[in-house]
Amino acid sequence: MDMGKATFYTHVADRSRFICRLSQRVVESGGRVLVWSDSVGELERVDADLWRFPPEGFLPHEFWQGGAYPSDVPVVLAAGVSDGLLSVPDSSVVVLNLSPYFWCQAATPPDRVLEIVGESLEELAEARDRFRAYKASGFEIEHHTMQGKA
């Protein structure tokens, strides 16, 4: 059974800028984004970056700490642990995963997951584990190397 699609962006040099650009692309294509991290500190940095990106405005966003999923903003920031992976409300929500967790193992896996991977050997090794897990779960896999790209 085809579960969904996971897209890996590897060798990302400027993680913060890439998160903003990728979120903006999803929103411009009519989607909504759930930025998921295992670090509240990282989400606070993403929050600050989103207020400044794009330079001529900002991407509307808010923090989600459970309860009803915010439907009035295109970008939602949330943090949690692997056994707390939340169900996204519908297929228009794309999970931008900043954590080491496997969204293919969520109670209700999302239709679309974006994985941002840096350049360190540790990050690349963790991404290979997630890649194998998504593939074994029936996800279609896409990979884009960002090495040498702005």
Side-chain angles (χ1 to χ4, degrees):
M1 180 175 97
D2 189 33
M3 296 282 296
K5 185 178 198 175
T7 303
F8 287 77
Y9 297 90
T10 59
H11 300 282
V12 173
D14 185 345
R15 184 175 170 100
S16 295
R17 182 165 169 73
F18 196 78
I19 291 166
C20 291
R21 285 179 39 218
L22 200 52
S23 295
Q24 183 179 34
R25 280 189 19 215
V26 170
V27 170
E28 286 174 349
S29 69
R32 297 183 295 155
V33 182
L34 169 59
V35 180
W36 182 266
S37 177
D38 59 339
S39 164
V40 172
E42 179 175 40
L43 288 179
E44 288 170 348
R45 288 187 296 279
V46 171
D47 173 50
D49 290 340
L50 287 172
W51 278 101
R52 295 186 294 269
F53 187 91
E56 64 278 359
F58 80 103
L59 281 172
H61 62 282
E62 69 180 63
F63 283 91
W64 179 35
Q65 298 175 333
Y69 190 87
S71 60
D72 55 343
V73 292
V75 180
V76 173
L77 310 175
V81 295
S82 63
D83 63 353
L85 296 178
L86 304 166
S87 294
V88 295
D90 61 60
S91 62
S92 72
V93 177
V94 175
V95 174
L96 199 165
N97 187 28
L98 306 179
S99 78
Y101 306 130
F102 298 53
W103 273 86
C104 56
Q105 296 173 349
T108 306
D111 290 346
R112 191 94 165 82
V113 179
L114 306 176
E115 295 275 349
I116 297 177
V117 183
E119 300 176 297
S120 76
L121 294 177
E122 182 181 330
E123 286 180 271
L124 292 167
E126 289 173 357
R128 279 192 289 278
D129 291 341
R130 287 195 308 278
F131 182 98
R132 282 191 289 274
Y134 284 112
K135 192 162 186 68
S137 294
F139 272 68
E140 177 186 341
I141 305 291
E142 252 184 2
H143 173 246
H144 303 283
T145 183
M146 306 312 292
Q147 196 164 24
K149 298 179 183 173

